[in-house]
Amino acid sequence: MTLPEPHCAHNANDLSAVESRSRWYKKPMLDFWQSLLAALERLAMLPSLIHSVLPSLPSRKRTRDAVRTHERPMDDLLREIQRLLEAPLDPEKLLHMSGRLQDQFSPKLQASDICMLPSYNHKLPTGREQGTYLALDVGGSTFRVAVVELNGQQPAAKSMRIVSMKSFKIDESVRQLRGSQFFDWMAERIETAISDSQLKNINGATTFPMGLAWSFPVEQTSTRSGNLLAMGKGFRATEDTLGQDLSELIMAPCRKRNLPVRLDSIVNDSSATLLSRAYEDPATRFAVILGTGFNIAVHLPTSTLASSKYKGYPQKWRDEATHVLVNTELSMFGGKTVFPMTRWDEQLNEAHVRPDFQPFEHMISGRYLGELVRLIIVEAVRTAGLFGGEIPDKLSQAYSLDAGTIAALEIDESKNLANGIALFQSRHPTSRPPTYNDIHFVRQVSQLVAHRAAAFLAAGIHALWMLRTTSEGLTPETAGKMAIGCNGSIIEKYPLFRELCQSHLDELTTASGAEPKSISLEVAVESAIFGAAVAVCCLEA
Ligand code: BGC
């Protein structure tokens, strides 16, 4: 999934608050965050924004023509969508959802082999570890192999550096690879990457020490091994390999190819994000991943999980560890007992290859934001005459609307949405070009879907923050401040996503008694790949 870089001109005639929130997206990515923050400070808009992303709906006059021959007027449908998607966003309702999530945590902390998974990492890095490692990052849509240099706290050197990196796209054909075929595919890519001359010599060693960030659940059996658990995101690699040792599945084809590599560490990508962020800021205790998939890792007292969760852990580990890095697999929590479901959430779930497997992810991650908007578009075409009653090209196919497309519409500031219209027409043509009203509708729906996702994420973070706070014997009042490392295309780049989530989080934590701004969401760039290397260097320390 590729999200657009911010761009676009300014349309002075368009005065709705929703649209004005996207005016800041004018500059290239480098100074984008700076200019966004400056604009936010000037406008101080977020507190009011979080209560409604659509303060004013398009007038009946604008939509009248399009609806003449359809079941319901477009603005009537839009009002219903707004009501359904915004109704759950009051702080009291979000706090209630956080409470329901906390109720769901309790049994899973006692027993579950698919979520609340402890790792073998009990200490966080000091930030002084040094070395050069081969880091593998298997994400939902890319496999990356990089040489990563960790420099500790050396003056005048970046603490972490990617010396070189090769990126391989994971498309549908790769996702469809079954069992060992997928691991052969990985080994072939590792071979390509290490044949690059820059990778020839790591630390003068003959065998490259590798760390893996795995963006799927894994039941760790040691720092370097773990049993393969069910994979989401449309992957089929677990067919005939479920429960097998992930390290061996990767190393066997590497050995067949005589690759000079050794897999020293396996961590989930959320744990990798936490480790990499902790390498730079030792106060880090949480990490959020929100891209194609969704997850949160948290450093918890070992006693938060039942002792049965540490089955097979060596006695030495049990004696030494006071805390443990936990992969919560938060995507698997939620569902209708926590979050109100709309008919589009239900349609998405029913049509999913693994219904109910990751209900939280279905409402907030990059793989699903576009799909929810697509389902609403299809209904609007059929019942309210959107796009003149014609389904745009490909949009009748599931997952054909990319989060990058809706993000681009959200940041469009061109006059009368000319850029957005052109972009949409190029990706999803119709026999007549879309009108301003069509694209304006899609954009408003996208804003509502994304805003709901940001608020639900805040409820999820709040729930885990409460768990950690009580596990540490603290209260919200005494919990103090903390930074959360954030990684993934949606939380890093989707227009205003992180800011909206932060605003909801501020409301929820202060309502619980914490000091204002006690949690700050901070972007941890490239943290999965860095964290894969940090995990290896922690073993050596
Ligand atoms: C997976 C997690 C992963 C997350 C983010 C989820 O679908 O189950 O293991 O951490 O995506 O990549």
Side-chain angles (χ1 to χ4, degrees), residues 441-484:
F441 176 92
V442 175
R443 163 153 132 158
Q444 288 182 302
V445 169
S446 306
Q447 287 164 343
L448 288 164
V449 168
H451 184 187
R452 184 186 70 157
F456 285 0
L457 174 61
I461 295 173
H462 179 269
L464 276 176
W465 170 77
M466 287 298 290
L467 171 71
R468 187 212 166 228
T469 302
T470 45
S471 307
E472 291 285 6
L474 300 167
T475 62
E477 289 78 2
T478 58
K481 296 205 184 248
M482 84 155 98
I484 298 190

mmCIF file of all heavy atoms in Angstrom, residues 441-484:
data_model
loop_
_atom_site.group_PDB
_atom_site.id
_atom_site.type_symbol
_atom_site.label_atom_id
_atom_site.label_comp_id
_atom_site.label_asym_id
_atom_site.label_seq_id
_atom_site.Cartn_x
_atom_site.Cartn_y
_atom_site.Cartn_z
ATOM 1 N N PHE A 441 -18.313 13.447 -2.093
ATOM 2 C CA PHE A 441 -18.960 12.405 -1.286
ATOM 3 C C PHE A 441 -17.918 11.360 -0.847
ATOM 4 O O PHE A 441 -17.820 11.009 0.329
ATOM 5 C CB PHE A 441 -20.071 11.740 -2.112
ATOM 6 C CG PHE A 441 -20.739 10.577 -1.420
ATOM 7 C CD1 PHE A 441 -21.881 10.761 -0.646
ATOM 8 C CD2 PHE A 441 -20.234 9.282 -1.546
ATOM 9 C CE1 PHE A 441 -22.495 9.687 0.000
ATOM 10 C CE2 PHE A 441 -20.838 8.210 -0.901
ATOM 11 C CZ PHE A 441 -21.968 8.413 -0.128
ATOM 12 N N VAL A 442 -17.119 10.877 -1.808
ATOM 13 C CA VAL A 442 -16.129 9.833 -1.486
ATOM 14 C C VAL A 442 -15.149 10.374 -0.446
ATOM 15 O O VAL A 442 -14.765 9.686 0.503
ATOM 16 C CB VAL A 442 -15.371 9.383 -2.761
ATOM 17 C CG1 VAL A 442 -14.256 8.397 -2.418
ATOM 18 C CG2 VAL A 442 -16.333 8.757 -3.763
ATOM 19 N N ARG A 443 -14.783 11.621 -0.617
ATOM 20 C CA ARG A 443 -13.825 12.209 0.318
ATOM 21 C C ARG A 443 -14.413 12.340 1.728
ATOM 22 O O ARG A 443 -13.753 12.047 2.723
ATOM 23 C CB ARG A 443 -13.420 13.576 -0.238
ATOM 24 C CG ARG A 443 -12.765 14.492 0.740
ATOM 25 C CD ARG A 443 -11.909 15.386 -0.045
ATOM 26 N NE ARG A 443 -12.082 16.774 0.320
ATOM 27 C CZ ARG A 443 -11.144 17.667 0.065
ATOM 28 N NH1 ARG A 443 -10.047 17.311 -0.555
ATOM 29 N NH2 ARG A 443 -11.330 18.901 0.398
ATOM 30 N N GLN A 444 -15.664 12.745 1.808
ATOM 31 C CA GLN A 444 -16.271 12.874 3.133
ATOM 32 C C GLN A 444 -16.413 11.508 3.810
ATOM 33 O O GLN A 444 -16.160 11.368 5.007
ATOM 34 C CB GLN A 444 -17.629 13.575 3.018
ATOM 35 C CG GLN A 444 -17.444 15.052 2.712
ATOM 36 C CD GLN A 444 -18.768 15.782 2.632
ATOM 37 O OE1 GLN A 444 -19.622 15.424 1.840
ATOM 38 N NE2 GLN A 444 -18.927 16.784 3.443
ATOM 39 N N VAL A 445 -16.775 10.508 3.017
ATOM 40 C CA VAL A 445 -16.888 9.162 3.573
ATOM 41 C C VAL A 445 -15.516 8.696 4.068
ATOM 42 O O VAL A 445 -15.380 8.126 5.157
ATOM 43 C CB VAL A 445 -17.466 8.191 2.515
ATOM 44 C CG1 VAL A 445 -17.332 6.746 2.967
ATOM 45 C CG2 VAL A 445 -18.927 8.530 2.233
ATOM 46 N N SER A 446 -14.475 8.975 3.283
ATOM 47 C CA SER A 446 -13.119 8.561 3.675
ATOM 48 C C SER A 446 -12.732 9.217 4.994
ATOM 49 O O SER A 446 -12.164 8.573 5.880
ATOM 50 C CB SER A 446 -12.090 8.973 2.622
ATOM 51 O OG SER A 446 -12.480 8.478 1.380
ATOM 52 N N GLN A 447 -13.062 10.494 5.125
ATOM 53 C CA GLN A 447 -12.724 11.197 6.366
ATOM 54 C C GLN A 447 -13.433 10.570 7.563
ATOM 55 O O GLN A 447 -12.848 10.402 8.633
ATOM 56 C CB GLN A 447 -13.098 12.685 6.253
ATOM 57 C CG GLN A 447 -12.137 13.437 5.344
ATOM 58 C CD GLN A 447 -12.664 14.795 4.901
ATOM 59 O OE1 GLN A 447 -13.861 15.070 4.993
ATOM 60 N NE2 GLN A 447 -11.782 15.618 4.396
ATOM 61 N N LEU A 448 -14.690 10.213 7.361
ATOM 62 C CA LEU A 448 -15.452 9.617 8.462
ATOM 63 C C LEU A 448 -14.897 8.244 8.845
ATOM 64 O O LEU A 448 -14.749 7.926 10.022
ATOM 65 C CB LEU A 448 -16.929 9.479 8.054
ATOM 66 C CG LEU A 448 -17.697 10.801 7.975
ATOM 67 C CD1 LEU A 448 -19.001 10.623 7.211
ATOM 68 C CD2 LEU A 448 -17.976 11.334 9.373
ATOM 69 N N VAL A 449 -14.576 7.446 7.834
ATOM 70 C CA VAL A 449 -14.061 6.097 8.103
ATOM 71 C C VAL A 449 -12.703 6.188 8.807
ATOM 72 O O VAL A 449 -12.428 5.483 9.783
ATOM 73 C CB VAL A 449 -13.959 5.290 6.779
ATOM 74 C CG1 VAL A 449 -13.162 4.011 6.969
ATOM 75 C CG2 VAL A 449 -15.356 4.967 6.240
ATOM 76 N N ALA A 450 -11.850 7.096 8.319
ATOM 77 C CA ALA A 450 -10.508 7.224 8.906
ATOM 78 C C ALA A 450 -10.578 7.818 10.310
ATOM 79 O O ALA A 450 -9.834 7.412 11.205
ATOM 80 C CB ALA A 450 -9.629 8.088 8.006
ATOM 81 N N HIS A 451 -11.490 8.762 10.498
ATOM 82 C CA HIS A 451 -11.605 9.370 11.832
ATOM 83 C C HIS A 451 -12.084 8.338 12.855
ATOM 84 O O HIS A 451 -11.558 8.250 13.965
ATOM 85 C CB HIS A 451 -12.570 10.558 11.766
ATOM 86 C CG HIS A 451 -12.671 11.296 13.066
ATOM 87 N ND1 HIS A 451 -13.565 12.293 13.282
ATOM 88 C CD2 HIS A 451 -11.999 11.162 14.245
ATOM 89 C CE1 HIS A 451 -13.432 12.756 14.527
ATOM 90 N NE2 HIS A 451 -12.494 12.074 15.119
ATOM 91 N N ARG A 452 -13.042 7.532 12.449
ATOM 92 C CA ARG A 452 -13.506 6.491 13.376
ATOM 93 C C ARG A 452 -12.339 5.557 13.729
ATOM 94 O O ARG A 452 -12.150 5.176 14.885
ATOM 95 C CB ARG A 452 -14.650 5.691 12.739
ATOM 96 C CG ARG A 452 -15.232 4.669 13.684
ATOM 97 C CD ARG A 452 -16.271 3.775 13.025
ATOM 98 N NE ARG A 452 -15.694 2.852 12.060
ATOM 99 C CZ ARG A 452 -16.255 1.704 11.681
ATOM 100 N NH1 ARG A 452 -17.434 1.357 12.196
ATOM 101 N NH2 ARG A 452 -15.688 0.915 10.789
ATOM 102 N N ALA A 453 -11.527 5.218 12.710
ATOM 103 C CA ALA A 453 -10.390 4.325 12.953
ATOM 104 C C ALA A 453 -9.417 4.949 13.958
ATOM 105 O O ALA A 453 -8.932 4.286 14.881
ATOM 106 C CB ALA A 453 -9.677 4.033 11.637
ATOM 107 N N ALA A 454 -9.154 6.257 13.800
ATOM 108 C CA ALA A 454 -8.206 6.928 14.706
ATOM 109 C C ALA A 454 -8.754 6.922 16.142
ATOM 110 O O ALA A 454 -8.009 6.720 17.112
ATOM 111 C CB ALA A 454 -7.970 8.358 14.237
ATOM 112 N N ALA A 455 -10.059 7.113 16.282
ATOM 113 C CA ALA A 455 -10.667 7.136 17.623
ATOM 114 C C ALA A 455 -10.661 5.737 18.243
ATOM 115 O O ALA A 455 -10.369 5.572 19.430
ATOM 116 C CB ALA A 455 -12.096 7.668 17.524
ATOM 117 N N PHE A 456 -10.955 4.712 17.437
ATOM 118 C CA PHE A 456 -10.949 3.348 17.987
ATOM 119 C C PHE A 456 -9.525 2.943 18.379
ATOM 120 O O PHE A 456 -9.313 2.238 19.355
ATOM 121 C CB PHE A 456 -11.535 2.348 16.974
ATOM 122 C CG PHE A 456 -13.049 2.422 16.842
ATOM 123 C CD1 PHE A 456 -13.794 3.324 17.595
ATOM 124 C CD2 PHE A 456 -13.723 1.576 15.973
ATOM 125 C CE1 PHE A 456 -15.190 3.395 17.485
ATOM 126 C CE2 PHE A 456 -15.113 1.623 15.855
ATOM 127 C CZ PHE A 456 -15.845 2.543 16.605
ATOM 128 N N LEU A 457 -8.546 3.396 17.582
ATOM 129 C CA LEU A 457 -7.160 3.109 17.965
ATOM 130 C C LEU A 457 -6.865 3.733 19.327
ATOM 131 O O LEU A 457 -6.232 3.111 20.189
ATOM 132 C CB LEU A 457 -6.184 3.640 16.896
ATOM 133 C CG LEU A 457 -4.705 3.529 17.272
ATOM 134 C CD1 LEU A 457 -4.282 2.084 17.506
ATOM 135 C CD2 LEU A 457 -3.815 4.146 16.176
ATOM 136 N N ALA A 458 -7.336 4.974 19.525
ATOM 137 C CA ALA A 458 -7.111 5.639 20.817
ATOM 138 C C ALA A 458 -7.720 4.806 21.948
ATOM 139 O O ALA A 458 -7.111 4.642 23.011
ATOM 140 C CB ALA A 458 -7.709 7.049 20.799
ATOM 141 N N ALA A 459 -8.916 4.253 21.716
ATOM 142 C CA ALA A 459 -9.549 3.416 22.756
ATOM 143 C C ALA A 459 -8.684 2.178 23.040
ATOM 144 O O ALA A 459 -8.522 1.768 24.192
ATOM 145 C CB ALA A 459 -10.950 3.000 22.318
ATOM 146 N N GLY A 460 -8.102 1.601 21.988
ATOM 147 C CA GLY A 460 -7.247 0.413 22.156
ATOM 148 C C GLY A 460 -5.983 0.745 22.937
ATOM 149 O O GLY A 460 -5.571 -0.002 23.830
ATOM 150 N N ILE A 461 -5.367 1.880 22.604
ATOM 151 C CA ILE A 461 -4.145 2.274 23.321
ATOM 152 C C ILE A 461 -4.485 2.554 24.788
ATOM 153 O O ILE A 461 -3.775 2.145 25.706
ATOM 154 C CB ILE A 461 -3.508 3.522 22.668
ATOM 155 C CG1 ILE A 461 -3.036 3.191 21.246
ATOM 156 C CG2 ILE A 461 -2.353 4.053 23.505
ATOM 157 C CD1 ILE A 461 -2.545 4.385 20.436
ATOM 158 N N HIS A 462 -5.616 3.235 24.991
ATOM 159 C CA HIS A 462 -6.025 3.551 26.364
ATOM 160 C C HIS A 462 -6.215 2.259 27.173
ATOM 161 O O HIS A 462 -5.777 2.159 28.320
ATOM 162 C CB HIS A 462 -7.320 4.371 26.335
ATOM 163 C CG HIS A 462 -7.827 4.727 27.693
ATOM 164 N ND1 HIS A 462 -8.720 3.938 28.388
ATOM 165 C CD2 HIS A 462 -7.534 5.770 28.522
ATOM 166 C CE1 HIS A 462 -8.973 4.491 29.569
ATOM 167 N NE2 HIS A 462 -8.269 5.599 29.680
ATOM 168 N N ALA A 463 -6.830 1.265 26.552
ATOM 169 C CA ALA A 463 -7.091 0.009 27.270
ATOM 170 C C ALA A 463 -5.772 -0.639 27.702
ATOM 171 O O ALA A 463 -5.628 -1.096 28.839
ATOM 172 C CB ALA A 463 -7.890 -0.935 26.375
ATOM 173 N N LEU A 464 -4.793 -0.659 26.807
ATOM 174 C CA LEU A 464 -3.512 -1.281 27.160
ATOM 175 C C LEU A 464 -2.733 -0.435 28.157
ATOM 176 O O LEU A 464 -2.019 -0.958 29.008
ATOM 177 C CB LEU A 464 -2.669 -1.493 25.900
ATOM 178 C CG LEU A 464 -2.976 -2.764 25.135
ATOM 179 C CD1 LEU A 464 -2.153 -2.820 23.870
ATOM 180 C CD2 LEU A 464 -2.683 -4.008 25.986
ATOM 181 N N TRP A 465 -2.874 0.867 28.035
ATOM 182 C CA TRP A 465 -2.213 1.769 28.992
ATOM 183 C C TRP A 465 -2.782 1.535 30.401
ATOM 184 O O TRP A 465 -2.048 1.487 31.381
ATOM 185 C CB TRP A 465 -2.432 3.216 28.520
ATOM 186 C CG TRP A 465 -2.037 4.292 29.479
ATOM 187 C CD1 TRP A 465 -0.768 4.730 29.760
ATOM 188 C CD2 TRP A 465 -2.920 5.102 30.268
ATOM 189 N NE1 TRP A 465 -0.808 5.755 30.665
ATOM 190 C CE2 TRP A 465 -2.116 6.001 30.992
ATOM 191 C CE3 TRP A 465 -4.309 5.152 30.414
ATOM 192 C CZ2 TRP A 465 -2.661 6.946 31.870
ATOM 193 C CZ3 TRP A 465 -4.856 6.087 31.282
ATOM 194 C CH2 TRP A 465 -4.029 6.975 31.997
ATOM 195 N N MET A 466 -4.104 1.313 30.488
ATOM 196 C CA MET A 466 -4.712 1.016 31.791
ATOM 197 C C MET A 466 -4.177 -0.322 32.318
ATOM 198 O O MET A 466 -3.884 -0.451 33.501
ATOM 199 C CB MET A 466 -6.245 0.938 31.675
ATOM 200 C CG MET A 466 -6.924 2.271 31.477
ATOM 201 S SD MET A 466 -6.684 3.426 32.849
ATOM 202 C CE MET A 466 -7.650 2.659 34.132
ATOM 203 N N LEU A 467 -4.060 -1.299 31.406
ATOM 204 C CA LEU A 467 -3.546 -2.608 31.835
ATOM 205 C C LEU A 467 -2.135 -2.465 32.398
ATOM 206 O O LEU A 467 -1.810 -2.974 33.463
ATOM 207 C CB LEU A 467 -3.537 -3.578 30.648
ATOM 208 C CG LEU A 467 -2.829 -4.914 30.913
ATOM 209 C CD1 LEU A 467 -3.652 -5.781 31.863
ATOM 210 C CD2 LEU A 467 -2.572 -5.682 29.616
ATOM 211 N N ARG A 468 -1.297 -1.746 31.660
ATOM 212 C CA ARG A 468 0.090 -1.583 32.104
ATOM 213 C C ARG A 468 0.152 -0.798 33.410
ATOM 214 O O ARG A 468 0.891 -1.139 34.330
ATOM 215 C CB ARG A 468 0.905 -0.886 31.020
ATOM 216 C CG ARG A 468 2.356 -0.865 31.403
ATOM 217 C CD ARG A 468 3.115 0.334 30.914
ATOM 218 N NE ARG A 468 4.375 0.380 31.626
ATOM 219 C CZ ARG A 468 4.856 1.465 32.204
ATOM 220 N NH1 ARG A 468 4.194 2.588 32.132
ATOM 221 N NH2 ARG A 468 5.992 1.417 32.843
ATOM 222 N N THR A 469 -0.646 0.263 33.494
ATOM 223 C CA THR A 469 -0.631 1.112 34.680
ATOM 224 C C THR A 469 -0.977 0.291 35.925
ATOM 225 O O THR A 469 -0.247 0.312 36.913
ATOM 226 C CB THR A 469 -1.643 2.268 34.486
ATOM 227 O OG1 THR A 469 -1.268 2.980 33.315
ATOM 228 C CG2 THR A 469 -1.654 3.233 35.654
ATOM 229 N N THR A 470 -2.058 -0.487 35.840
ATOM 230 C CA THR A 470 -2.441 -1.255 37.034
ATOM 231 C C THR A 470 -1.438 -2.383 37.281
ATOM 232 O O THR A 470 -1.110 -2.670 38.427
ATOM 233 C CB THR A 470 -3.871 -1.824 36.930
ATOM 234 O OG1 THR A 470 -4.019 -2.394 35.625
ATOM 235 C CG2 THR A 470 -4.927 -0.752 37.098
ATOM 236 N N SER A 471 -0.916 -2.997 36.220
ATOM 237 C CA SER A 471 0.065 -4.076 36.425
ATOM 238 C C SER A 471 1.321 -3.568 37.122
ATOM 239 O O SER A 471 1.994 -4.312 37.819
ATOM 240 C CB SER A 471 0.519 -4.688 35.104
ATOM 241 O OG SER A 471 -0.548 -5.072 34.350
ATOM 242 N N GLU A 472 1.650 -2.318 36.887
ATOM 243 C CA GLU A 472 2.844 -1.744 37.528
ATOM 244 C C GLU A 472 2.516 -1.220 38.927
ATOM 245 O O GLU A 472 3.360 -0.601 39.569
ATOM 246 C CB GLU A 472 3.405 -0.582 36.690
ATOM 247 C CG GLU A 472 4.016 -0.986 35.357
ATOM 248 C CD GLU A 472 5.400 -1.646 35.494
ATOM 249 O OE1 GLU A 472 5.845 -1.898 36.627
ATOM 250 O OE2 GLU A 472 6.010 -1.910 34.445
ATOM 251 N N GLY A 473 1.276 -1.414 39.365
ATOM 252 C CA GLY A 473 0.884 -0.928 40.691
ATOM 253 C C GLY A 473 0.721 0.588 40.718
ATOM 254 O O GLY A 473 0.829 1.209 41.776
ATOM 255 N N LEU A 474 0.463 1.170 39.557
ATOM 256 C CA LEU A 474 0.298 2.628 39.480
ATOM 257 C C LEU A 474 -1.174 2.969 39.287
ATOM 258 O O LEU A 474 -2.015 2.079 39.115
ATOM 259 C CB LEU A 474 1.115 3.187 38.304
ATOM 260 C CG LEU A 474 2.624 2.935 38.347
ATOM 261 C CD1 LEU A 474 3.261 3.247 36.999
ATOM 262 C CD2 LEU A 474 3.262 3.775 39.449
ATOM 263 N N THR A 475 -1.456 4.262 39.270
ATOM 264 C CA THR A 475 -2.799 4.726 38.923
ATOM 265 C C THR A 475 -2.624 5.710 37.770
ATOM 266 O O THR A 475 -1.504 6.191 37.548
ATOM 267 C CB THR A 475 -3.451 5.483 40.100
ATOM 268 O OG1 THR A 475 -2.630 6.631 40.371
ATOM 269 C CG2 THR A 475 -3.581 4.618 41.328
ATOM 270 N N PRO A 476 -3.701 6.047 37.075
ATOM 271 C CA PRO A 476 -3.543 7.032 36.001
ATOM 272 C C PRO A 476 -2.896 8.323 36.513
ATOM 273 O O PRO A 476 -2.084 8.935 35.828
ATOM 274 C CB PRO A 476 -4.976 7.274 35.525
ATOM 275 C CG PRO A 476 -5.682 5.992 35.818
ATOM 276 C CD PRO A 476 -5.068 5.481 37.091
ATOM 277 N N GLU A 477 -3.202 8.674 37.764
ATOM 278 C CA GLU A 477 -2.646 9.918 38.321
ATOM 279 C C GLU A 477 -1.136 9.806 38.506
ATOM 280 O O GLU A 477 -0.414 10.787 38.403
ATOM 281 C CB GLU A 477 -3.274 10.231 39.697
ATOM 282 C CG GLU A 477 -4.727 10.667 39.672
ATOM 283 C CD GLU A 477 -5.720 9.510 39.493
ATOM 284 O OE1 GLU A 477 -5.290 8.334 39.424
ATOM 285 O OE2 GLU A 477 -6.926 9.786 39.391
ATOM 286 N N THR A 478 -0.637 8.595 38.836
ATOM 287 C CA THR A 478 0.801 8.454 39.129
ATOM 288 C C THR A 478 1.571 7.836 37.963
ATOM 289 O O THR A 478 2.778 7.623 38.058
ATOM 290 C CB THR A 478 1.016 7.557 40.368
ATOM 291 O OG1 THR A 478 0.408 6.276 40.111
ATOM 292 C CG2 THR A 478 0.414 8.169 41.618
ATOM 293 N N ALA A 479 0.872 7.533 36.870
ATOM 294 C CA ALA A 479 1.523 6.789 35.775
ATOM 295 C C ALA A 479 2.635 7.580 35.087
ATOM 296 O O ALA A 479 3.543 7.005 34.509
ATOM 297 C CB ALA A 479 0.487 6.355 34.752
ATOM 298 N N GLY A 480 2.583 8.893 35.144
ATOM 299 C CA GLY A 480 3.631 9.710 34.516
ATOM 300 C C GLY A 480 3.480 9.766 33.011
ATOM 301 O O GLY A 480 2.506 9.253 32.443
ATOM 302 N N LYS A 481 4.487 10.374 32.376
ATOM 303 C CA LYS A 481 4.392 10.566 30.920
ATOM 304 C C LYS A 481 5.078 9.425 30.193
ATOM 305 O O LYS A 481 6.018 8.846 30.727
ATOM 306 C CB LYS A 481 5.087 11.878 30.549
ATOM 307 C CG LYS A 481 4.405 13.083 31.150
ATOM 308 C CD LYS A 481 4.700 14.323 30.324
ATOM 309 C CE LYS A 481 4.095 15.533 30.980
ATOM 310 N NZ LYS A 481 3.005 16.130 30.283
ATOM 311 N N MET A 482 4.642 9.160 29.004
ATOM 312 C CA MET A 482 5.360 8.172 28.188
ATOM 313 C C MET A 482 5.173 8.424 26.693
ATOM 314 O O MET A 482 4.178 9.018 26.261
ATOM 315 C CB MET A 482 4.912 6.765 28.538
ATOM 316 C CG MET A 482 3.670 6.321 27.845
ATOM 317 S SD MET A 482 3.681 4.564 27.751
ATOM 318 C CE MET A 482 2.682 4.188 29.120
ATOM 319 N N ALA A 483 6.194 7.981 25.945
ATOM 320 C CA ALA A 483 6.126 8.108 24.482
ATOM 321 C C ALA A 483 5.809 6.738 23.901
ATOM 322 O O ALA A 483 6.250 5.720 24.424
ATOM 323 C CB ALA A 483 7.453 8.597 23.963
ATOM 324 N N ILE A 484 5.047 6.729 22.840
ATOM 325 C CA ILE A 484 4.739 5.471 22.147
ATOM 326 C C ILE A 484 5.332 5.555 20.742
ATOM 327 O O ILE A 484 5.052 6.505 20.009
ATOM 328 C CB ILE A 484 3.214 5.249 22.060
ATOM 329 C CG1 ILE A 484 2.631 5.138 23.472
ATOM 330 C CG2 ILE A 484 2.886 4.031 21.232
ATOM 331 C CD1 ILE A 484 1.183 4.691 23.517
#
